């Protein structure tokens, strides 16, 4: 280990390669302390990504990593290299805990999120998770994303506030953590507090913009307030590591599309973002046959929960069929 430290003072790729070879060839001298973790960080940080990945794989195969204690910097470095969280392969090194930085209003930033599928990902610096959401994600707990456009643009105040809080209550009663998503003062918020929900509910459409995918960047740059559509909520949920999203009705292909080309960004987002959307179908004012055709083109399975009929938001039967059917949660999860 001391030789490796001395070699690394050169600060070159060749020095890092030599140090890595020493650590791999003499595992019994590697040790299992924070000093070793710091040394590995230095070695991996100097190596090209492909070489660093190869070194980590060898360390995993030899069992060396599983013996190491938790180390924040090494944790982040491994996440950037694309390694998965796995208790069996990495032991306590990437254990299910979030090295968060607590700030005002109990928000968490600069955290490593452990996705339900097992992948680690560092949060972007423009995103804030509520403590409740971050802890649920860190422990692979169930989290349900919720949109906010329906709060600011769907109903008047205070009915919109009452509805939003009722939806969160229903999610909690089912054993999950609700994560209402919005943009506030240019920050992407995942998991609004009750006071934050009340704030945007009072603002309404005049002070809180409706935000789709194209609008997110500019609104953040302007330090503005925005309520997220289905498409924007999906994109943000995926970035945060949330895989389930519940809403009312999705957007779709508008009537007269032959002349307007008015197709909701919700449909393209459904075809490209790995988030399952539980909803009451598409809004009834849309061209529903064309909406289903578009979803088929995008490769989106449209599954009915206990039904073969595609609903139309506030009506159960649109006269159209879904592409498939699931009858219980286990079936849907598979």
């Amino acid at each position: 280990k001391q030789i490796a430290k001395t070699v690394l003072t050169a600060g070159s790729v060749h020095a890092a390669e030599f140090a890595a070879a020493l650590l791999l060839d003499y595992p019994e001298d590697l040790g299992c302390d924070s000093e070793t973790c710091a040394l590995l960080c230095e070695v991996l940080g100097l190596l090209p990504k492909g070489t660093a990945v190869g070194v980590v794989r060898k360390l995993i195969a030899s069992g060396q990593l599983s013996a190491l204690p938790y180390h924040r910097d090494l944790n982040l470095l491994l996440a950037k290299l694309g390694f998965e969280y796995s208790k069996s392969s990495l032991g306590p090194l990437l254990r299910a805990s979030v090295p968060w930085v607590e700030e005002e209003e109990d928000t968490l930033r600069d955290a490593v999120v452990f996705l339900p599928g097992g992948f680690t990902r560092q949060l972007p610096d423009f995103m804030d998770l509520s403590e409740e959401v971050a802890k649920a994600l860190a422990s692979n707990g169930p989290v349900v994303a919720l949109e906010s456009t329906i709060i600011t643009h769907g109903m008047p105040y205070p009915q919109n506030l009452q509805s939003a809080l009722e939806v969160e209550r229903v999610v909690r009663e089912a054993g999950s953590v609700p994560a209402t998503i919005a943009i506030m003062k240019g920050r992407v918020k995942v998991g609004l507090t009750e006071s934050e929900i009340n704030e945007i509910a009072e603002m309404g459409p005049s002070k809180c913009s409706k935000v789709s995918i194209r609008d997110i960047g500019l609104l953040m740059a302007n330090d503005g307030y925005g309520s997220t559509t289905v498409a924007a909520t999906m994109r943000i949920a995926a970035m945060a590591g949330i895989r389930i999203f519940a809403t009312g009705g999705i957007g779709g292909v508008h009537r007269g599309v032959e002349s307007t080309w008015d197709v909701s960004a919700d449909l393209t987002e459904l075809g490209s973002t790995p988030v399952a959307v539980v909803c009451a179908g598409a809004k009834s004012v849309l061209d529903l046959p064309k909406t289903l055709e578009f979803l088929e083109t995008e490769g989106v399975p449209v599954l009915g929960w206990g039904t073969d009929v595609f609903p139309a938001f506030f009506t159960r039967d649109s006269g159209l069929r879904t592409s498939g059917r699931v009858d219980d949660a286990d079936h849907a999860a598979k």
Side-chain angles (χ1 to χ4, degrees):
K1 189 189 297 186
Q2 189 57 49
I3 295 173
K5 286 182 181 179
T6 303
V7 170
L8 285 171
T9 58
S12 67
V13 173
H14 292 305
E17 290 174 343
F18 183 78
L22 284 174
L23 297 177
L24 290 170
D25 289 343
Y26 299 96
E28 65 277 4
D29 297 329
L30 184 60
C32 302
D33 52 21
S34 59
E35 184 184 16
T36 301
C37 293
L39 181 60
L40 280 174
C41 281
E42 191 173 356
V43 171
L44 296 174
L46 286 171
L47 292 173
K49 183 176 181 180
T51 306
V53 167
V55 170
V56 173
R57 285 176 176 164
K58 290 179 180 178
L59 290 170
I60 292 173
S62 68
Q64 290 169 268
L65 280 186
S66 62
L68 292 174
Y70 170 76
H71 189 274
R72 175 184 169 84
D73 291 340
L74 186 55
N75 189 343
L76 294 175
L77 184 54
L78 288 171
K80 289 177 181 178
L81 290 174
F83 281 89
E84 298 180 0
Y85 163 62
S86 169
K87 290 182 179 178
S88 61
S89 64
L90 294 185
L93 186 66
L94 293 178
R95 64 193 177 197
S97 63
V98 176
W100 57 64
V101 178
E102 294 198 21
E103 298 193 333
E104 295 179 1
E105 300 179 1
D106 294 323
T107 57
L108 306 174
R109 292 181 52 200
D110 302 326
V112 172
V113 174
F114 296 87
L115 306 187
F119 296 96
T120 59
R121 178 180 299 170
Q122 187 172 9
L123 282 180
D125 60 8
F126 53 75
M127 182 179 291
D128 297 328
L129 298 189
S130 70
E131 184 171 354
E132 183 183 23
V133 169
K135 287 183 176 179
L137 289 174
S139 60
N140 276 351
V143 180
V144 177
L146 301 169
E147 63 155 293
S148 50
T149 292
I150 194 170
I151 301 174
T152 58
H153 290 67
M155 307 175 206
Y157 186 83
Q159 287 86 351
N160 56 354
L161 173 63
Q162 295 165 354
S163 175
L165 296 179
E166 174 67 9
V167 170
E168 289 211 339
R169 183 190 65 78
V170 170
V171 171
R172 286 195 174 92
E173 284 187 352
S176 296
V177 173
T180 300
I181 293 173
I183 298 174
M184 304 183 73
K185 297 180 181 178
R187 302 287 308 172
V188 174
K189 299 279 189 175
V190 180
L192 299 187
T193 63
E194 184 172 337
S195 63
E196 288 172 334
I197 293 175
N198 183 70
E199 184 178 357
I200 64 170
E202 281 191 295
M203 282 182 168
S206 62
K207 296 181 180 179
C208 191
S209 304
K210 182 178 180 180
V211 179
S212 190
I213 296 297
R214 68 171 186 182
D215 311 308
I216 294 175
L218 182 60
L219 189 73
M220 289 170 57
N222 291 338
D223 296 328
Y225 283 79
S227 54
T228 53
T229 62
V230 169
T233 303
M234 284 183 68
R235 180 74 62 89
I236 293 168
M239 293 175 70
I242 301 172
R243 306 297 290 275
I244 301 290
F245 166 34
T247 187
I250 64 169
V253 178
H254 285 252
R255 298 173 191 267
V257 68
E258 298 86 351
S259 57
T260 65
W261 287 90
D262 192 350
V263 178
S264 171
D266 295 355
L267 302 186
T268 51
E269 197 66 24
L270 281 162
S272 60
T273 300
V275 172
V277 178
V278 182
C279 66
K283 298 177 177 67
S284 56
V285 296
L286 300 169
D287 189 324
L288 298 183
K290 287 187 175 66
T291 296
L292 287 173
E293 288 292 339
F294 197 102
L295 288 170
E296 180 187 4
T297 301
E298 289 291 312
V300 179
V302 180
L303 307 178
W305 178 275
T307 182
D308 300 298
V309 177
F310 184 69
F313 198 16
F314 55 81
T315 60
R316 287 179 178 270
D317 190 348
S318 66
L320 302 168
R321 295 180 66 83
T322 61
S323 65
R325 171 179 177 145
V326 292
D327 289 308
D328 55 54
D330 287 340
H331 190 192
K334 288 179 181 179

